[in-house]
CSV table of all heavy atoms in Angstrom, one decimal:
chain,number,residue,atom,x,y,z
A,162,THR,N,-57.5,36.1,12.2
A,162,THR,CA,-58.9,36.6,12.2
A,162,THR,C,-58.9,37.9,13.1
A,162,THR,O,-59.5,38.9,12.7
A,162,THR,CB,-59.9,35.5,12.7
A,162,THR,OG1,-59.9,34.4,11.8
A,162,THR,CG2,-61.3,36.1,12.8
A,163,GLU,N,-58.4,37.8,14.3
A,163,GLU,CA,-58.4,38.9,15.2
A,163,GLU,C,-57.7,40.1,14.6
A,163,GLU,O,-58.1,41.3,14.7
A,163,GLU,CB,-57.7,38.5,16.5
A,163,GLU,CG,-58.6,37.5,17.3
A,163,GLU,CD,-57.8,36.7,18.3
A,163,GLU,OE1,-56.6,37.0,18.6
A,163,GLU,OE2,-58.4,35.8,18.9
A,164,ALA,N,-56.6,39.9,13.9
A,164,ALA,CA,-55.8,41.0,13.3
A,164,ALA,C,-56.6,41.7,12.2
A,164,ALA,O,-56.6,42.9,12.1
A,164,ALA,CB,-54.5,40.5,12.7
A,165,ASN,N,-57.4,40.9,11.5
A,165,ASN,CA,-58.2,41.5,10.4
A,165,ASN,C,-59.4,42.3,11.0
A,165,ASN,O,-59.7,43.3,10.4
A,165,ASN,CB,-58.8,40.4,9.5
A,165,ASN,CG,-57.7,39.8,8.6
A,165,ASN,OD1,-56.7,40.5,8.3
A,165,ASN,ND2,-57.8,38.5,8.2
A,166,ILE,N,-60.0,41.8,12.0
A,166,ILE,CA,-61.1,42.5,12.7
A,166,ILE,C,-60.5,43.8,13.2
A,166,ILE,O,-61.1,44.9,13.1
A,166,ILE,CB,-61.7,41.7,13.8
A,166,ILE,CG1,-62.5,40.5,13.2
A,166,ILE,CG2,-62.7,42.5,14.6
A,166,ILE,CD1,-63.0,39.5,14.2
A,167,ALA,N,-59.3,43.8,13.8
A,167,ALA,CA,-58.7,45.0,14.4
A,167,ALA,C,-58.4,45.9,13.2
A,167,ALA,O,-58.5,47.2,13.4
A,167,ALA,CB,-57.4,44.6,15.1
A,168,ALA,N,-57.9,45.4,12.1
A,168,ALA,CA,-57.6,46.3,11.0
A,168,ALA,C,-58.8,47.1,10.5
A,168,ALA,O,-58.7,48.3,10.2
A,168,ALA,CB,-57.0,45.4,9.8
A,169,MET,N,-59.9,46.4,10.4
A,169,MET,CA,-61.2,47.1,10.0
A,169,MET,C,-61.6,48.2,11.1
A,169,MET,O,-61.9,49.3,10.7
A,169,MET,CB,-62.3,46.1,9.8
A,169,MET,CG,-62.1,45.3,8.6
A,169,MET,SD,-63.6,44.2,8.2
A,169,MET,CE,-63.3,42.8,9.2
A,170,ALA,N,-61.5,47.8,12.3
A,170,ALA,CA,-61.8,48.8,13.4
A,170,ALA,C,-60.9,50.0,13.3
A,170,ALA,O,-61.3,51.1,13.5
A,170,ALA,CB,-61.7,48.1,14.7
A,171,GLU,N,-59.6,49.7,13.1
A,171,GLU,CA,-58.6,50.8,13.1
A,171,GLU,C,-58.9,51.7,11.8
A,171,GLU,O,-58.7,52.9,11.9
A,171,GLU,CB,-57.2,50.3,13.1
A,171,GLU,CG,-56.9,49.7,14.4
A,171,GLU,CD,-55.7,48.7,14.4
A,171,GLU,OE1,-55.0,48.7,13.3
A,171,GLU,OE2,-55.4,48.0,15.4
A,172,MET,N,-59.2,51.1,10.7
A,172,MET,CA,-59.5,51.9,9.5
A,172,MET,C,-60.7,52.8,9.8
A,172,MET,O,-60.7,54.0,9.4
A,172,MET,CB,-59.7,51.0,8.3
A,172,MET,CG,-58.4,50.5,7.7
A,172,MET,SD,-58.7,49.7,6.1
A,172,MET,CE,-59.4,48.1,6.6
A,173,ALA,N,-61.7,52.3,10.4
A,173,ALA,CA,-62.9,53.0,10.7
A,173,ALA,C,-62.6,54.2,11.6
A,173,ALA,O,-62.9,55.4,11.4
A,173,ALA,CB,-64.0,52.1,11.3
A,174,THR,N,-61.9,53.9,12.7
A,174,THR,CA,-61.5,54.9,13.7
A,174,THR,C,-60.7,56.0,13.1
A,174,THR,O,-60.9,57.2,13.4
A,174,THR,CB,-60.8,54.3,14.9
A,174,THR,OG1,-61.6,53.3,15.5
A,174,THR,CG2,-60.4,55.3,15.9
A,175,ALA,N,-59.8,55.7,12.2
A,175,ALA,CA,-58.9,56.7,11.5
A,175,ALA,C,-59.8,57.6,10.6
A,175,ALA,O,-59.3,58.7,10.3
A,175,ALA,CB,-57.9,56.0,10.7
A,176,ASN,N,-60.9,57.1,10.2
A,176,ASN,CA,-61.8,57.9,9.4
A,176,ASN,C,-63.0,58.5,10.1
A,176,ASN,O,-64.0,58.8,9.5
A,176,ASN,CB,-62.2,57.1,8.2
A,176,ASN,CG,-61.1,56.9,7.2
A,176,ASN,OD1,-60.9,57.8,6.3
A,176,ASN,ND2,-60.4,55.8,7.3
A,177,HIS,N,-62.9,58.5,11.4
A,177,HIS,CA,-63.9,59.1,12.3
A,177,HIS,C,-65.3,58.4,12.2
A,177,HIS,O,-66.3,59.0,12.3
A,177,HIS,CB,-64.1,60.6,12.0
A,177,HIS,CG,-62.8,61.4,11.9
A,177,HIS,ND1,-62.0,61.6,13.0
A,177,HIS,CD2,-62.1,61.9,10.8
A,177,HIS,CE1,-60.9,62.3,12.6
A,177,HIS,NE2,-61.0,62.4,11.3
A,178,ILE,N,-65.2,57.1,12.1
A,178,ILE,CA,-66.4,56.2,12.0
A,178,ILE,C,-66.4,55.4,13.3
A,178,ILE,O,-65.4,54.8,13.7
A,178,ILE,CB,-66.4,55.3,10.8
A,178,ILE,CG1,-66.3,56.1,9.5
A,178,ILE,CG2,-67.6,54.3,10.8
A,178,ILE,CD1,-66.0,55.2,8.3
A,179,ARG,N,-67.5,55.5,14.1
A,179,ARG,CA,-67.5,54.7,15.3
A,179,ARG,C,-67.8,53.3,15.0
A,179,ARG,O,-68.5,52.9,14.1
A,179,ARG,CB,-68.6,55.3,16.2
A,179,ARG,CG,-68.3,56.7,16.7
A,179,ARG,CD,-69.5,57.5,17.0
A,179,ARG,NE,-69.1,59.0,17.2
A,179,ARG,CZ,-70.0,59.9,17.3
A,179,ARG,NH1,-71.3,59.7,17.3
A,179,ARG,NH2,-69.6,61.2,17.4
Side-chain angles (χ1 to χ4, degrees):
T162 297
E163 292 162 6
N165 287 333
I166 293 171
M169 288 188 277
E171 289 163 13
M172 283 190 282
T174 299
N176 286 274
H177 312 290
I178 301 167
R179 292 156 193 170

